[in-house]
Amino acid sequence: VRFLLGNFGDIDEVFLLRDPQQRPTGKAYVLFKSHSEARKALEAIQSSSADGASKAFWSESERALRGTRGAYGLNVLRHLQ
C-alpha cells in the first residue's frame, strides 16, 4: 500500500483490514501527513478506476472533522457539539 500510494505524499500510517480468520480483506486505512496529499491519492484512485476494481473514500472521522455530510446523511460533528 505504501508503495502504491507513496507517490502522492508522505504516509504516516497504514492499517490493513483483516477478516475474523485474520485473512486480508483487500481494504486498508491510509493516513497521509496532509489533507492535500490524501486528496491527491483519493482523486487519482477514483478517476483511474472506472471499472470499480479500486475504490477510495474519506473515512467517517475525516468527514466529521471537515463538517461534511457522511454516509449516514448528516453532519456528524454538528450533532456531537
Side-chain angles (χ1 to χ4, degrees):
V1 173
R2 285 182 187 272
F3 177 76
L4 294 171
L5 298 177
N7 293 331
F8 297 103
D10 294 326
I11 296 174
D12 277 341
E13 294 180 44
V14 174
F15 181 77
L16 301 174
L17 299 178
R18 297 184 177 275
D19 68 12
Q21 289 75 39
Q22 297 302 306
R23 295 180 301 227
T25 64
K27 299 176 183 177
Y29 286 99
V30 179
L31 177 64
F32 283 87
K33 285 195 183 280
S34 77
H35 182 77
S36 62
E37 293 170 338
R39 175 180 280 131
K40 285 191 297 185
L42 185 89
E43 290 172 353
I45 292 168
Q46 290 175 337
S47 67
S48 68
S49 182
D51 63 356
S54 298
K55 296 180 182 177
F57 306 97
W58 290 113
S59 69
E60 285 300 316
S61 60
E62 178 66 19
R63 290 177 180 148
L65 288 171
R66 300 280 170 207
T68 58
R69 294 175 66 88
Y72 306 107
L74 51 90
N75 179 337
V76 176
L77 188 60
R78 184 181 60 137
H79 291 285
L80 295 175
Q81 294 177 348

